[in-house]
Amino acid sequence: MRVLGTVAALALLAAGATMLWQHLRYVELRRNVLHDRQALIHPAEAFHVLTFLELAPGQQTLEALRKVVPLLAPGDAQVIYAGEVVLTPLASAQIPEPDWNAIVLTQHPTRDAYDAARASPDRQRALAEFARAYEHGMKRPRLFNLAIHQLLLVLRAGQILTRAPSHFPFERADGPLAVDTERLRALEAARSRDRGAVVVVNLLQEGTREQRDANRQYGLAMAGMFAEGAHGPFHMGRSVTVEGEARFDAVALVYYPGVAHFLQMGQSRFFQGIVGGKQLADTQASITIPVLDQL
């Protein structure tokens, strides 16, 4: 019995050490690759807001962000993530045709604090300098977001134990791609700005039961790739409409290790084989490059 107890204790220590390693490596990615400032444990009442920005003629992305960012997060609010938009490949039917240039994620102490900040004349004047601005809220569950990467760890352990085939390196798909040439050109043009990370900002509205089932299978396949490659979701939460009438169910910010990786994935047999399962009633997806460290 003593031997069994020792073995069990060692197994628990090993499991705990592995979970800590998983946690720390994703913290490292968050801080030094995504330049994301999300606290690991934020207040339960905290309210997150995505601000989508389209530049006016003559504006430059970083310069415009440097001016507006302090007004988006006054007082106890905080800027969590800022990204320059490379491409918006999926446009929502509920939001006017987007030509976004930047997206900023902020955290406010409460929804009421955000509403008060939004009413500030200085903030309104700053946003009015852009060609267009749109905001959408998110309630971000603390424990769920902490658990995401541990769930990926469990999935990775299963892959190792079952000797599942590796996703990498990607094999290029044969035949026509489910990505149009214009989008590929836009991504290729962004390779010169590749800093080893892209973050896809998603607004998601679930569809019918059949669509949900298909999308679940797509999500599981992507999770397998995330688990092996140590990337994937960093922010997930419940959608909250704060402007206009657009309704979504969820918000997700998903990290991929660079533009080159994203291009290879998009043209791979793996992705082309599962992308047809991505079925939603409505969605908006914008591909961004992290820039908060430059502001």
Side-chain angles (χ1 to χ4, degrees):
M1 292 295 292
R2 184 177 298 175
V3 173
L4 288 176
T6 301
V7 170
L10 289 173
L12 286 173
L13 284 173
T18 305
M19 291 174 68
L20 178 62
W21 167 77
Q22 175 80 341
H23 173 75
L24 291 177
R25 72 170 176 164
Y26 273 94
V27 170
E28 173 73 10
L29 287 169
R30 182 190 296 280
R31 297 291 180 251
N32 298 321
V33 178
L34 305 185
H35 308 291
D36 184 295
R37 298 174 183 169
Q38 179 65 61
L40 298 179
I41 300 292
H42 57 76
E45 63 273 16
F47 189 68
H48 291 73
V49 176
L50 285 166
T51 303
F52 297 79
L53 299 166
E54 180 185 342
L55 298 178
Q59 284 184 313
Q60 299 297 316
T61 303
L62 294 182
E63 181 183 347
L65 285 175
R66 290 185 188 113
K67 291 179 180 179
V68 77
V69 156
L71 296 172
L72 294 178
D76 293 333
Q78 183 181 12
V79 177
I80 300 299
Y81 174 79
E84 180 180 2
V85 176
V86 173
L87 178 67
T88 298
L90 298 174
S92 168
Q94 302 180 78
I95 302 172
E97 185 67 26
D99 190 15
W100 307 121
N101 300 104
I103 301 174
V104 180
L105 175 65
T106 51
Q107 177 182 299
H108 301 261
T110 63
R111 169 65 190 269
D112 288 344
Y114 162 69
D115 288 338
R118 188 180 177 195
S120 162
D122 288 342
R123 186 181 190 277
Q124 292 177 1
R125 280 193 293 270
L127 288 177
E129 293 183 7
F130 291 84
R132 190 152 49 109
Y134 171 75
E135 295 194 311
H136 202 88
M138 171 177 67
K139 285 296 294 181
R140 183 183 188 276
R142 298 174 295 177
L143 296 181
F144 175 73
N145 278 271
L146 280 175
I148 290 170
H149 303 136
Q150 299 303 326
L151 294 172
L152 291 178
L153 176 63
V154 172
L155 187 54
R156 181 59 184 150
Q159 292 172 338
I160 294 171
L161 290 173
T162 60
R163 298 184 179 182
S166 175
H167 296 82
F168 311 112
F170 290 121
E171 295 182 16
R172 188 180 175 90
D174 299 322
L177 301 174
V179 183
D180 64 48
T181 305
E182 185 177 347
R183 293 175 184 175
L184 286 175
R185 280 201 297 264
L187 286 172
E188 285 286 359
R191 293 184 74 156
S192 62
R193 292 176 284 158
D194 193 349
R195 305 173 69 208
V198 296
V199 175
V200 182
V201 180
N202 299 277
L203 302 178
L204 307 164
Q205 184 188 76
E206 294 183 350
T208 64
R209 177 178 295 179
E210 290 76 15
Q211 287 176 317
R212 292 196 299 271
D213 289 343
N215 200 58
R216 189 177 300 110
Q217 294 304 310
Y218 164 83
L220 288 172
M222 291 294 286
M225 182 192 68
F226 295 150
E228 183 181 358
H231 48 289
F234 270 79
H235 296 284
M236 296 188 73
R238 177 174 58 84
S239 166
V240 181
T241 299
V242 298
E243 176 181 343
E245 298 181 355
R247 295 290 183 271
F248 297 94
D249 296 299
V251 176
L253 276 68
V254 184
Y255 153 64
Y256 297 83
V259 175
H261 172 96
F262 197 85
L263 269 167
Q264 291 167 8
M265 181 196 73
Q267 299 174 76
S268 70
R269 288 184 179 179
F270 161 72
F271 188 74
Q272 294 298 314
I274 66 170
V275 67
K278 185 173 184 179
Q279 298 183 25
L280 296 156
D282 188 33
T283 185
Q284 178 173 289
S286 295
I287 302 169
T288 70
I289 295 174
V291 295
L292 187 53
D293 62 316
Q294 300 179 61
L295 304 183

